[in-house]
Amino acid sequence: MKGEAKERMGSTINVNGRIIGDGYPAYIIAEMSANHAGSIERALELIHAAKDAGADCVKIQTYTADTMTIDCQNEYFQIGKGTWEGENLYGLYQKAYTPWEWQEQLRDEAAKVGIDFLSTPFDTTSVDFLEKLGVQFYKIASFELVDIPLLEYIASKQKPIIMSTAMGTLEEIKEAVEAIYSTGNRQLALMKCSSAYPAKSEEMNLSMIRDMKERFGIPVGLSDHSMGAFSAATAVAVGANLIEKHFCISRAIKNPDSSFSMEPAEFGDMVHQVREVEKALGSVCYGVSSQEESNACFRRSLFVVQDIAAGEMLTPENIRSIRPAYGLKPKHYKEVLGRTAKRDLKRGTPLSFSDIS
């Protein structure tokens, strides 16, 4: 795997005509999830709001309670702690799912406003549905990382895949990657993720982004469940090629995902911070930048600091390295000491080789 990774270093994927990888702007996904709160009108509003906030893509999830689990009330299906404490799995998914009959309209609305449309399938029937819908690429959730048959089925469609890796051991991530590659599909990006809602900063481990890029040689991003924009901007600074963040109209509109989702103004601020980080990262470029040109004259150079008569020797007392930079470079200081002036040199004259014998 590591040897293959070296061959693939710097690779990119193409999603709907957009290149994702090193050297390209981070691809930013607004995850709608349950934030429509059961209203298609709000789902449509979220698409427009995501576009206005600077997202490149709006994402939904394609499942029903029955494709995710079974309607069972025993202890195995109860959520004991965390954001959804006290919920039954089947009941939670009934509240959170995006009705399949909405999804064609949501896809069309995304196309209308000019934002990419993405979905996470959770079983083969949802993949088949999305294939009929004509989706251009897929997202795989962290919890499905270990469902190798599902990964192989999604990958068999030969479309780009973005796969989250929360909770995954290195071995599990390798198995998932190889399952996808086994189908001949090499269009893959990974997402560092913490499946806690919300995630704590001390458990984000953003340094793993670089490690994953080195190990797998493919684009890596951050699926971010932390609060605020700090982790997303920092992730880009350490090399993230994608950012995914849960997105809502207002956290006051209660639903299973609202408590850890970003409102439009917050999302827009995050996008701004990410783009500013990208500008600040720039490229490897030594020397004077265009903005620095006007200040370059304030570097040091060799100047006459006492009047020197023609034929007089240059000494540490009459020449010095000072600002500004109109004389010889300071590296010539020892070279000119002991030489004599060809002409009278007044205090404040920048020294040049033409002035000395």
Side-chain angles (χ1 to χ4, degrees), residues 151-349:
L151 304 191
E152 291 172 340
Y153 192 72
I154 294 171
S156 73
K157 306 308 176 183
Q158 300 300 317
K159 293 177 179 177
I161 294 169
I162 299 167
M163 182 165 65
S164 286
T165 60
M167 303 171 292
T169 65
L170 181 57
E171 189 59 35
E172 287 171 338
I173 297 170
K174 286 180 178 179
E175 287 176 355
V177 170
E178 293 302 339
I180 289 168
Y181 287 168
S182 71
T183 68
N185 188 340
R186 311 290 288 197
Q187 303 174 85
L188 177 64
L190 299 177
M191 299 290 265
K192 171 68 185 76
C193 180
S194 174
S195 284
Y197 306 89
K200 297 177 180 178
S201 295
E202 60 267 29
E203 296 185 7
M204 294 296 291
N205 296 319
L206 297 180
S207 58
M208 287 178 64
I209 291 170
R210 283 179 177 158
D211 186 75
M212 290 167 70
K213 291 177 80 168
E214 291 173 1
R215 287 181 183 277
F216 297 100
I218 56 179
V220 176
L222 174 68
S223 181
D224 185 13
H225 300 135
S226 67
M227 301 304 291
F230 179 79
S231 291
T234 303
V236 171
V238 299
N241 305 120
L242 312 91
I243 296 293
E244 179 184 331
K245 197 85 168 176
H246 281 249
F247 182 71
C248 66
I249 295 299
S250 169
R251 282 187 293 275
I253 302 170
K254 298 302 180 182
N255 65 80
D257 292 342
S258 57
S259 64
F260 54 89
S261 296
M262 271 189 159
E263 295 180 353
E266 296 167 333
F267 196 98
D269 180 62
M270 180 196 70
V271 173
H272 175 74
Q273 290 189 43
V274 165
R275 300 308 179 209
E276 288 299 303
V277 167
E278 289 172 336
K279 289 178 188 177
L281 287 171
S283 58
V284 177
C285 181
Y286 296 101
V288 180
S289 71
S290 58
Q291 192 174 8
E292 293 171 328
E293 284 177 358
S294 62
N295 285 329
C297 63
F298 299 122
R299 302 176 89 186
R300 286 179 176 263
S301 69
L302 300 183
F303 264 77
V304 176
V305 295
Q306 291 179 3
D307 289 349
I308 304 174
E312 186 178 347
M313 185 180 295
L314 274 59
T315 69
E317 286 72 35
N318 58 29
I319 65 163
R320 283 173 53 199
S321 170
I322 62 170
R323 297 182 182 186
Y326 296 104
L328 291 172
K329 289 185 177 181
K331 68 179 181 179
H332 298 295
Y333 179 69
K334 291 181 180 179
E335 181 183 349
V336 301
L337 284 177
R339 295 170 70 170
T340 55
K342 286 184 178 179
R343 61 182 181 87
D344 290 344
L345 299 173
K346 289 190 174 296
R347 181 176 184 272
T349 301

